[in-house]
Amino acid sequence: MSRTWLRPLLLAGLLGLGTPTALAAAPALTAAEQARAEQLQDTLRCPICTGESINESSNDISREMRAEVERLVAQGLSDREVYDYFAARYGQFVLLDPPKQGANLVLWAGPLLALGAGGWWLLRTLRGHPQPAPATAQETWTEEDPELQPYLAQVQREARPPTRTDWRDKGGPA
């Protein structure tokens, strides 16, 4: 059984977020600060829930994280500083919109590169290269080596459809 959910809970307990006074000490925010705090809460992942932001989650750790976001916004920290604060405590996993740098850049650029490569391949396939027109049989005969002329003449005779006179020569129907 995986215990990955235990680490965030222990960190929250060590930081003092697990106490009832931490929840009660959430500062009063102006309307603009509250809107900014809610926007930040929508971009932070609940460490316990799968794919939910802390704003959508109703468990204790999410409530504590929401209060912590409000406290940090009231202190005047920038969005980047709030993200860094939570990323330092919970890891990059906590960010629903990871930064577009370092190894994450491959994840952001990968689909665009694949789309570009697919478009390039499709364009080359559909456009294609013009094929030269096949040479006619007569052109081939005149361009061949003179030593091969008797053999080519024999192939041409044998490949010719039979005529009525050919049937008579072979004892076929008249």
Side-chain angles (χ1 to χ4, degrees), residues 76-156:
L77 271 66
S78 69
D79 291 358
R80 179 81 280 158
E81 291 171 326
V82 172
Y83 291 142
D84 291 342
Y85 175 86
F86 281 99
R89 281 151 185 79
Y90 298 100
Q92 291 286 328
F93 169 78
V94 79
L95 303 176
L96 282 174
D97 188 19
K100 297 164 186 75
Q101 62 188 15
N104 290 336
L105 192 58
V106 173
L107 297 174
W108 285 100
L112 295 176
L113 291 174
L115 185 65
W120 175 80
W121 176 81
L122 183 64
L123 182 66
R124 283 191 47 102
T125 302
L126 292 178
R127 183 174 47 175
H129 299 309
Q131 298 294 328
T136 63
Q138 187 60 34
E139 292 172 352
T140 315
W141 283 85
T142 58
E143 294 173 1
E144 294 294 333
D145 187 4
E147 294 176 8
L148 298 178
Q149 291 297 327
Y151 299 108
L152 294 173
Q154 181 182 356
V155 168
Q156 187 178 29

